[in-house]
Amino acid sequence: SQTIHQWPATLVQPVGSPLSLECTVEGTSNPNLYWYRQAAGRGLQLLFYSVGIGQISSEVPQNLSASRPQDRQFILSSKKLLLSDSGFYLCAWSGLLGGIIPEAFFGQGTRLTVV
Amino acid sequence: AQSVTQLDSHVSVSEGTPVLLRCNYSSSYSPSLFWYVQHPNKGLQLLLKYTSAATLVKGINGFEAEFKKSETSFHLTKPSAHMSDAAEYFCVVSDYGGSQGNLIFGKGTKLSVKP
């Protein structure tokens, strides 16, 4: 069965420190992978999506970057965190179940507080 | 182009009365549709999904949704609201195409339940 792992669940980081959030999926190959952010009181904002290894599309210019070093691994990074980077970060994947039916799964999310 | 429209940003109901959260979608393909719930400071929980099987889908906690292709709608309903249903609800579309991979979130509907 398909599963998605995202960690850590919560994170408190000082301003100016680096960030690395990791997401891995199991039970599927060549998934589309996504990073979303939800700021306090706001909806989900698409940050990055990837349709394959090394293929990253950025939706919103910002202090963050994403990488996909392996088919089932998606990493969200920052070299220097800003206070405005605080929020709830969600990893997701979508693909075709059985090669036919579109399916989607979501990680549990990471609540990042930059202090 | 793909799109998801949640017609109400905020819905308020009294406990014990019916709930209706509206979602309309646009897709060039045969989509799968999902409803997720997010309680305050929590991750996303899948309520139900439609993936080309029965058009009336029953989910957890007494929720159900009906896929109506002619109306391009996937509205979420519950016969009797409970206080614990107060949360934010997201309608999500997954299909074969689109510029943002193939996973589109609605902006969310915040459900308030009055005693």
Side-chain angles (χ1 to χ4, degrees):
Chain A
S1 63
Q2 296 79 21
T3 58
I4 182 167
H5 302 282
Q6 182 183 343
W7 68 92
T10 59
L11 190 60
V12 179
Q13 292 283 98
V15 168
S17 64
L19 173 73
S20 181
L21 302 181
E22 188 164 344
C23 173
T24 59
V25 299
E26 296 177 2
T28 183
S29 60
N30 197 31
N32 289 348
L33 296 172
Y34 309 80
W35 278 110
Y36 291 87
R37 177 172 64 194
Q38 184 181 42
R42 307 285 296 275
L44 283 160
Q45 178 187 41
L46 179 63
L47 300 176
F48 302 95
Y49 72 95
S50 171
V51 298
I53 296 173
Q55 301 179 59
I56 309 295
S57 296
S58 174
E59 294 298 308
V60 181
Q62 57 211 323
N63 186 41
L64 301 168
S65 62
S67 62
R68 186 169 176 175
Q70 301 179 44
D71 182 45
R72 302 174 192 176
Q73 185 184 33
F74 203 27
I75 298 172
L76 182 69
S77 304
S78 173
K79 292 182 179 178
K80 287 186 178 181
L81 283 169
L82 305 172
L83 286 174
S84 57
D85 292 324
S86 294
F88 181 71
Y89 290 82
L90 189 69
C91 178
W93 79 257
S94 70
L96 294 176
L97 200 61
I100 301 174
I101 300 172
E103 183 62 277
F105 288 88
F106 298 89
Q108 287 301 298
T110 297
R111 191 158 303 279
L112 171 67
T113 304
V114 182
V115 297
Chain B
Q2 294 171 291
S3 67
V4 177
T5 303
Q6 291 186 241
L7 295 159
D8 307 293
S9 60
H10 191 192
V11 170
S12 182
V13 301
S14 297
E15 190 175 20
T17 63
V19 176
L20 170 64
L21 305 183
R22 298 182 293 168
C23 174
N24 284 93
Y25 71 93
S26 171
S27 172
S28 302
Y29 307 93
S30 297
S32 292
L33 293 149
F34 309 81
W35 275 100
Y36 283 83
V37 60
Q38 185 183 31
H39 288 91
N41 298 313
K42 299 289 186 182
L44 293 184
Q45 180 183 21
L46 178 66
L47 280 177
L48 49 81
K49 64 182 179 183
Y50 165 78
T51 56
S52 77
T55 56
L56 181 62
V57 182
K58 294 188 183 297
I60 62 172
N61 301 335
F63 285 94
E64 63 180 39
E66 186 171 7
F67 174 71
K68 292 187 177 180
K69 188 174 182 179
S70 61
E71 299 176 10
T72 60
S73 69
F74 191 56
H75 300 334
L76 181 70
T77 61
K78 183 173 180 177
S80 177
H82 192 273
M83 295 297 291
S84 61
D85 294 327
E88 186 147 26
Y89 293 78
F90 293 95
C91 182
V92 183
V93 171
S94 175
D95 69 13
Y96 293 87
S99 61
Q100 297 176 335
N102 59 358
L103 190 64
I104 301 294
F105 270 86
K107 292 189 181 298
T109 298
K110 186 173 183 179
L111 175 65
S112 299
V113 182
K114 297 175 289 186

